[in-house]
Amino acid sequence: MFRTARSVLRSAWKGIREDPELRRWRERHPRFLAYVRRRLSPDEKFGLNLTVGLAIVVFFAYLFLGVAQDLIAQEAVYLADYRILNLLQIFRSPRFSQTMLFITYLGGWPAILAGSIAAGLFLAVLRRWRYLVGFIAAVLGGELFVYGMKMLFRRPRPPLINALTPETGYSFPSGHVFVAIVFYGLLAYFVWRGTRRRAVRALAIAAGLFAVVLIGFSRLYLGVHWPSDVLASLAAGAAWLTAVITALEIRRKFGRIGVYGYHFRRRSIALLGAGLSAAWLAFVIAYFAVHPLKPQPSFEQPDVAIGLSQVPAGLFGSLPRTSETLTGEPMEPINVIAVGTRAELDRAFRDAGWLPCDPVTLRSTWRLMTAGLFDRPYPQAPGVPSFWDSLPNDFAYERSTAADTVRERYHIHFWYTPFLLPDGRRIWFATAH
């Protein structure tokens, strides 16, 4: 099969080369074709390496500018920011919050500074001066870029009411995420260049990607950055990392090959790297131990007393009458208004054959995915959250259809409101579908 495909490609290429129109075009533009060949040649200093690297840089720079444009024009990405942050709050738990705080410290300046010192010592001992200079320039250049962008956009951070850890300064873009891409990306590149073992190379790249993704998610989970901040930093950081690696690759391939002058065995190099990594990790753990997650004060919305005559017309004077999409577009009408306590609602729906949906957690999400994949019943499967007034629904009830499958269910999504009747009963909004 491969021989057949190869012969077909060769025949097609031969036909293209012998085409008279293309031959005349090549004869009219010899300088352009020579330029293209040089740009695609792996043996040219500014050939294939620079062309591929520049293409990747342009691609990620375009993504960054797209997010920045959405922010300035307040378009789709900007409109989804607040709802995504509100949605992530349903995953919060004390243990998970502590984990996310530790992960976010991996991208903070104390961890990056300590890690940069450890990496710098390692490269200096091995006399990898080009890598050392490139590493320092990449980290410092990244910090300057983030500072310049923050001063240019001056975007406020999300409301501190929802933040689990205090942060100061402007929000766009995320410095943690940008510097984490550069720091962990270069470490993965150094490991990839320092070994020929495919398993070690793959592990280094996977670990770097995993660290960056987790650090980005932790900034959203803790409520200290908008999603567009993290998205912009991912794009800009990838562009900057690609530019640095491209420069290092060109220098490595076409620069003068110097004698490093060290005489270490591989075991000694591995032990040195492991020792410095352990010291850095111990520092991060110690920093986390003395900077734990502090409980944040809770802010409850004050109740609003209304008369029965104001239901339902008086409820929507300043509130939306429909649920919303992720970008705030009207979706479904608020077609259920319930009065009573949460216990009364739960009892009424259970008596009518409706079950409360499980809260959206990692465990329930995994169970929902497997039930949908294998078409199994899951009577209390969590539904896709709906938004109203930028907030995800507080709870939901569901009932299976005649098909008795998790892929087809009736849902009613409920939202808490601050409205109380004179007798103390709570008013709830809902959409049924």
Side-chain angles (χ1 to χ4, degrees):
M1 182 179 67
F2 290 107
R3 291 181 179 177
T4 303
R6 189 181 303 170
S7 63
V8 170
L9 290 175
R10 285 179 177 175
S11 299
W13 176 244
K14 183 178 179 180
I16 293 174
R17 294 188 62 181
E18 294 179 355
D19 184 90
E21 291 292 334
L22 291 176
R23 185 184 303 170
R24 285 194 293 271
W25 187 87
R26 289 198 302 268
E27 292 173 353
R28 289 196 300 267
H29 303 89
R31 296 181 62 184
F32 175 75
L33 289 175
Y35 175 81
V36 172
R37 289 193 189 99
R38 290 195 299 271
R39 298 291 73 79
L40 298 179
S41 172
D43 298 322
E44 289 282 342
K45 184 175 183 180
F46 301 109
L48 185 62
N49 283 9
L50 180 62
T51 302
V52 174
L54 186 60
I56 297 174
V57 169
V58 170
F59 172 76
F60 283 113
Y62 177 79
L63 291 182
F64 171 78
L65 293 176
V67 177
Q69 190 273 337
D70 272 19
L71 174 61
I72 295 173
Q74 298 186 1
E75 294 180 349
V77 175
Y78 172 85
L79 295 173
D81 275 343
Y82 195 61
R83 293 168 183 82
I84 293 176
L85 279 187
N86 289 334
L87 181 61
L88 290 178
Q89 292 181 28
I90 66 179
F91 292 99
R92 286 180 174 176
S93 67
R95 181 176 297 179
F96 196 38
S97 296
Q98 291 290 348
T99 302
M100 287 295 103
L101 182 67
F102 176 77
I103 290 173
T104 210
Y105 283 158
L106 294 177
W109 72 264
I112 296 298
L113 178 60
S116 298
I117 293 174
L121 288 175
F122 183 79
L123 294 174
V125 169
L126 299 185
R127 299 188 181 182
R128 300 281 184 174
W129 306 120
R130 296 173 186 170
Y131 286 170
L132 179 58
V133 171
F135 182 77
I136 295 174
V139 174
L140 291 181
E143 292 283 2
L144 290 175
F145 173 81
V146 171
Y147 178 79
M149 291 296 100
K150 286 181 180 289
M151 292 297 103
L152 177 63
F153 286 92
R154 296 178 178 269
R155 187 186 192 185
R157 290 188 181 269
L160 295 179
I161 294 176
N162 299 323
L164 296 182
T165 182
E167 286 286 355
T168 58
Y170 296 113
S171 184
F172 184 90
S174 169
H176 278 66
V177 176
F178 187 99
V179 177
I181 291 177
V182 177
F183 177 76
Y184 293 104
L186 283 178
L187 291 185
Y189 168 73
F190 293 152
V191 174
W192 187 82
R193 268 293 165 207
T195 182
R196 294 182 179 179
R197 296 181 179 180
R198 294 181 179 180
V200 177
R201 285 182 167 185
L203 181 62
I205 294 174
L209 287 173
F210 193 59
V212 170
V213 171
L214 284 181
I215 290 171
F217 178 78
S218 72
R219 305 306 288 168
L220 303 180
Y221 177 90
L222 296 173
V224 294
H225 272 293
W226 301 103
S228 54
D229 301 338
V230 173
L231 183 60
S233 289
L234 288 173
W240 179 240
L241 176 64
T242 302
V244 173
I245 291 178
T246 300
L248 291 174
E249 281 291 290
I250 293 174
R251 182 63 176 170
R252 182 193 67 83
K253 190 172 182 179
F254 298 100
R256 291 178 54 189
I257 302 177
V259 179
Y260 292 115
Y262 64 85
H263 302 283
F264 296 113
R265 295 181 177 180
R266 291 183 178 180
R267 181 178 299 179
S268 300
I269 295 175
L271 289 176
L272 176 62
L276 290 172
S277 299
W280 170 75
L281 185 60
F283 169 80
V284 177
I285 293 174
Y287 184 85
F288 172 73
V290 298
H291 297 83
L293 190 67
K294 298 179 180 179
Q296 300 295 310
S298 59
F299 297 89
E300 295 184 358
Q301 189 175 8
D303 292 329
V304 178
I306 63 172
L308 188 59
S309 60
Q310 296 176 268
V311 180
L315 298 177
F316 297 101
S318 58
L319 296 174
R321 294 175 175 268
T322 64
S323 62
E324 306 160 345
T325 64
L326 195 61
T327 57
E329 296 295 325
M331 191 174 177
E332 296 174 327
I334 299 298
N335 48 26
V336 175
I337 297 177
V339 178
T341 65
R342 174 67 189 278
E344 290 173 339
L345 282 176
D346 191 61
R347 184 167 56 253
F349 275 93
R350 285 183 181 274
D351 291 343
W354 293 70
L355 296 176
C357 295
D358 287 342
V360 180
T361 62
L362 296 178
R363 182 176 181 180
S364 64
T365 302
W366 174 254
R367 186 180 174 187
L368 174 63
M369 291 172 58
T370 56
L373 181 62
F374 297 104
D375 199 17
R376 298 171 181 170
Y378 182 3
Q380 293 181 258
V384 177
S386 296
F387 292 93
W388 171 76
D389 199 22
S390 300
L391 299 172
N393 57 278
D394 294 284
F395 56 93
Y397 296 95
E398 67 178 85
R399 191 179 72 186
S400 299
T401 63
D404 194 22
T405 173
V406 75
R407 301 176 183 176
E408 183 179 292
R409 296 164 289 159
Y410 299 113
H411 280 103
I412 297 182
H413 292 90
F414 277 88
W415 286 270
Y416 168 94
T417 77
F419 300 118
L420 288 177
L421 293 179
D423 58 7
R425 288 182 296 168
R426 176 74 58 186
I427 294 177
W428 306 84
F429 291 168
T431 60
H433 54 274

